Amino acid sequence: MSTNPLPRAPAMVAVHDTVAISRRNLRRLGRAPNLLLLSLTTGVLFVLLFRYVFGGAIRTPGISYADYLMPGAFILTVTASAVTTTGVGFAEDLASGAIDRFRSLPIARSAVLSARMLSDAVRLLLLIALMTAVGFAVGFRIHTGIGPALAGLALTIAFGMAFSWAMLYLALASGTAEATQAAGQTLMFLLTFLSSAFVPLATMPGWLQAIAHANPVTYAVDALRAPLVGGPRPGRCCSPWPVRQAWSWCSPRWRSAATGADRGSVPWSRPQTWRWRA
């Protein structure tokens, strides 16, 4: 009688490998709590700063500033987490050779990126729970009910995952943790502050309003305010745009790099970065 185990379906192999690598990512985050602490500190400090320093000077007719602020703070927190944990962590894996070791193992090629997304989703839930507690402490209240609030939670995680995909692409393009962090933080601050996250668009100059209206973070924040505190929904939702863009950037290029196909056309698949072996 043969003692060989029954072969598993490719989908089951991918799921098993994704869960295993996700556990590794979460354990690694527990051994480096400074990355998680940085993401938590960024969101909390901005909530306290805008609520108590700038809140008295910013007028938001028809809504308290705490209610106006918190959706923007949620988006800022998940984008900061994508930069400091997703992008920087993946760049460190590239530099340390961990990705090379993953490529030498008999695992599903999709598991490395999908595991990063799964572990990030778990981490984002923790961040959002903490930010919600901070928000209630400074006067934020949910005015629409538990169902819309859960929909807002799902939207926040979706946007955070989309931005995480963009940070994965940035990490692959830059190749170093320092460059990823510098570029990611610049992008994060430009997107969040040139939006309706902290101030109404009507208070901005006309030329800046045009930029803010084209900013995907504006649509993310407005779409999040609707299920949390009520108000009109934006004409088009923000989340599908970064999801499509990040997936189109990362997924085909990752598949090409993982299989060794079309190496010359991928700008970040240089031998010194990925250390290709014959």
Side-chain angles (χ1 to χ4, degrees):
M1 180 181 296
S2 175
T3 59
N4 293 331
L6 294 176
R8 294 182 296 172
M12 294 300 298
V13 173
V15 170
H16 178 271
D17 296 339
T18 297
V19 172
I21 301 177
S22 297
R23 291 174 180 170
R24 174 258 181 191
N25 292 338
L26 292 174
R27 285 195 298 267
R28 182 176 180 272
L29 185 61
R31 298 188 186 104
N34 58 314
L35 294 177
L36 183 60
L37 181 62
L38 181 60
S39 299
L40 296 174
T41 304
T42 300
V44 172
L45 287 180
F46 272 107
V47 169
L48 298 178
L49 176 67
F50 277 90
R51 176 66 180 88
Y52 294 112
V53 178
F54 301 114
I58 300 175
R59 296 289 180 261
T60 54
I63 183 176
S64 69
Y65 188 68
D67 290 342
Y68 185 90
L69 170 67
M70 285 311 299
F74 286 133
I75 297 299
L76 172 64
T77 301
V78 297
T79 53
S81 178
V83 173
T84 58
T85 305
T86 305
V88 173
F90 193 74
E92 290 177 348
D93 283 344
L94 285 172
S96 65
I99 300 300
D100 287 337
R101 291 193 291 272
F102 283 137
R103 292 183 62 248
S104 67
L105 297 175
I107 62 175
R109 295 297 188 184
S110 62
V112 177
L113 289 188
S114 57
R116 176 66 64 175
M117 291 296 101
L118 179 59
S119 59
D120 286 347
V122 175
R123 178 175 45 80
L124 289 179
L125 285 173
L126 174 62
L127 294 177
I128 293 171
L130 176 64
M131 290 301 300
T132 302
V134 173
F136 274 92
V138 301
F140 168 68
R141 296 294 182 269
I142 296 174
H143 301 278
T144 55
I146 187 64
L150 292 177
L153 170 65
L155 175 62
T156 306
I157 294 177
F159 187 84
M161 300 283 284
F163 202 80
S164 294
W165 274 109
M167 289 302 101
L168 286 181
Y169 172 76
L170 187 61
L172 290 168
S174 62
T176 64
E178 293 80 6
T180 301
Q181 184 171 11
Q185 287 183 341
T186 301
L187 180 63
M188 176 193 70
F189 282 114
L190 285 176
L191 288 176
T192 53
F193 282 96
L194 296 180
S195 70
S196 63
F198 304 112
V199 297
L201 296 186
T203 63
M204 300 180 181
W207 62 271
L208 193 56
Q209 289 186 31
I211 297 175
H213 276 298
N215 188 346
V217 172
T218 296
Y219 293 97
V221 174
D222 291 346
L224 183 57
R225 283 197 182 106
L228 291 184
V229 297
R233 291 170 174 78
R236 55 188 175 92
C237 184
C238 67
S239 56
W241 181 85
V243 170
R244 289 195 300 266
Q245 289 299 105
W247 182 262
S248 65
W249 287 340
C250 294
S251 183
R253 290 166 172 79
W254 172 264
R255 288 196 298 268
S256 298
T259 58
D262 197 19
R263 298 174 188 173
S265 64
V266 183
W268 41 261
S269 62
R270 298 184 298 272
Q272 61 268 28
T273 300
W274 285 83
R275 294 190 287 277
W276 295 102
R277 292 180 289 272

